[in-house]
Amino acid sequence: AILSYAGKLRDGKLIGKLDLGELGLRALPEAVLELNSLTNLRLDNNRLKSLPDDISKLDRLEIMSLSGCSRLTALPIKMGRITSLTKLYFDNVPLVTPPSVVLQWDVPDVMDYLLRFD
């Protein structure tokens, strides 16, 4: 599994897409935050309770999937700095922050909402 993970990180750096779904992650690995060319990040069905504020380092991210991360209850405020994000998937994620009414908006508007509190 470690070799697979290392290979995924290498591929993420090269092609801008990283699939870390179904790995049982409890936290986002620091190494992921160094992949500043990342445009697509899939974290589906992990045990994440939170995302780090430094997720904002991924400023080229366009697509992010958190579906099935059933322990995740909030998106970090600093995530609003990712102005390139156009698609955010969060099926079966019990988010409280931002509120469900905000999560129905278009993704750039959700990011603007988060940014207001930064």
Side-chain angles (χ1 to χ4, degrees), residues 19-23 42-46 65-69 89:
D19 183 350
L20 296 179
E22 291 88 22
L23 292 179
R42 182 177 174 269
L43 296 169
D44 295 350
N45 301 307
N46 277 299
S65 185
L66 300 164
S67 293
C69 292
Y89 301 100

Side-chain angles (χ1 to χ4, degrees), residues 39-42 60-65 84-89:
T39 59
N40 188 325
L41 178 59
R42 182 177 174 269
R60 294 184 186 168
L61 201 61
E62 296 171 8
I63 302 168
M64 183 175 200
S65 185
S84 57
L85 198 64
T86 57
K87 293 187 178 163
L88 179 61
Y89 301 100

Side-chain angles (χ1 to χ4, degrees), residues 28-76:
L28 187 65
E30 282 288 320
V32 173
L33 301 174
E34 303 305 317
L35 301 175
N36 57 2
S37 62
L38 209 57
T39 59
N40 188 325
L41 178 59
R42 182 177 174 269
L43 296 169
D44 295 350
N45 301 307
N46 277 299
R47 297 179 179 176
L48 301 170
K49 289 184 180 177
S50 64
L51 293 172
D53 283 339
D54 284 349
I55 192 94
S56 62
K57 286 182 178 180
L58 302 177
D59 58 0
R60 294 184 186 168
L61 201 61
E62 296 171 8
I63 302 168
M64 183 175 200
S65 185
L66 300 164
S67 293
C69 292
S70 60
R71 298 176 184 198
L72 188 64
T73 58
L75 298 179

